[in-house]
Amino acid sequence: MTVRDDPAPPDLYQPSARRIERERFRRARTRRAGLLAAGSTLATAAVLVALVVSSPGWSRTRETFFNWHYARKSLPDVLHGLWLNVQLMVVCGAIVLAAGLLVAVVRTLRGPVFFPLRALATAYVDFFRGLPLIICLLAVVFGLPALRLNGVPNDPVVLGGFALCLTYTAYVAEVFRAGIETVHPSQRAAARSLGLTSAQTMRYVVLPQAVRRVVPPLLNDLVSLQKDTGLVSIGGAVDAVAAAQIVASRSFNYTPYVVAGVIFVALTIPMTRLTDWVTARMNRRQSQGGAV
């Protein structure tokens, strides 16, 4: 015996004339706002360009910083060095996220038996959050090899990446800890009343909510990490900044630095826009009463 599925009823909904008029008004208002924003942006850009071009030293500045010949000449070397920055960003970003989450969990452990671990994690975060990144890089890149310990590499890329991980793990750990602290204690109590252990409560109840809440600041930290990968050049690694420096030292023209800076900005903008989109999406879901 077969069961026949009844066909779905036709959609008879027809919007009212008032609603059609309201939507037409909203579309017109959106178009008008977009045109006004575009016109205002173009006018502001034109004023800024005119102000810079009309300055007394513009001709010398253009020749020193915006020379098309040196831009084309340095672009291949800068792009070749940029690959190192991208690799550092990917590898260090993954390590920072994992290590930062581990440090944050250690800092939120409860019970007197975990006090030594909490104290170590707190000291680590306080020290590396307060230490300037440039000093951390110099200490790691030049200080660790000077100890002549077995197994310590001399590669400035590895040492520079290690210094970046030390500093940014401290920042990311605080972001994760802030997310963990925002989970209401009743969530833990409900999970424990259902028979979950402390580890299971952290893994299945607390961390999923905490991570969702701190995604925007985490992306901001990754954007900062992407920019700071250029600092590994102080140890001798030839990244985009070092490649630009080599070309500039030969020509005594600073256009290669501008090329490297523009490429870094071009890489940062997509991640920044992704951060804005994620933040707006989470705010929209929260305002609608959805899960955050």
Side-chain angles (χ1 to χ4, degrees), residues 83-101 124 133 137 140 155-173 176 218 221-232 271:
W83 176 237
L84 177 61
N85 296 100
V86 174
Q87 290 176 303
L88 277 173
M89 190 271 168
V90 173
V91 175
C92 293
I95 295 174
V96 164
L97 289 177
L101 181 59
Y124 167 79
L133 176 58
L137 275 165
V140 172
D155 190 346
V157 177
V158 177
L159 293 173
F162 180 59
L164 289 173
C165 291
L166 285 177
T167 298
Y168 274 92
T169 295
Y171 287 113
V172 170
F176 276 126
L218 283 179
D221 284 337
L222 291 180
V223 170
S224 299
L225 174 63
Q226 179 180 342
K227 294 185 299 181
D228 287 341
T229 56
L231 294 177
V232 299
M271 189 172 290

Side-chain angles (χ1 to χ4, degrees), residues 217-251:
L218 283 179
L219 291 175
N220 280 328
D221 284 337
L222 291 180
V223 170
S224 299
L225 174 63
Q226 179 180 342
K227 294 185 299 181
D228 287 341
T229 56
L231 294 177
V232 299
S233 60
I234 65 173
V238 183
D239 68 330
V241 178
Q245 184 180 10
I246 292 172
V247 178
S249 62
R250 293 172 182 169
S251 59

Side-chain angles (χ1 to χ4, degrees), residues 36 76 153-154 191 210 265:
L36 285 174
N154 293 321
V265 172

Side-chain angles (χ1 to χ4, degrees), residues 13-94:
Y13 172 72
Q14 293 291 334
S16 63
R18 182 181 294 274
R19 177 169 182 174
I20 294 175
E21 181 64 25
R22 186 165 56 244
E23 292 178 352
R24 184 183 298 116
F25 172 76
R26 288 176 178 172
R27 287 195 296 270
R29 187 176 59 180
T30 302
R31 286 196 299 271
R32 186 168 60 251
L35 291 174
L36 285 174
S40 176
T41 302
L42 290 175
T44 304
V47 170
L48 292 176
V49 170
L51 184 64
V52 173
V53 172
S54 61
S55 60
W58 167 242
S59 58
R60 183 64 180 271
T61 302
R62 182 181 57 186
E63 181 63 25
T64 306
F65 291 93
F66 303 100
N67 190 299
W68 181 245
H69 169 71
Y70 289 110
R72 288 188 300 173
K73 183 179 179 181
S74 62
L75 183 60
D77 294 334
V78 173
L79 289 178
H80 184 266
L82 185 69
W83 176 237
L84 177 61
N85 296 100
V86 174
Q87 290 176 303
L88 277 173
M89 190 271 168
V90 173
V91 175
C92 293

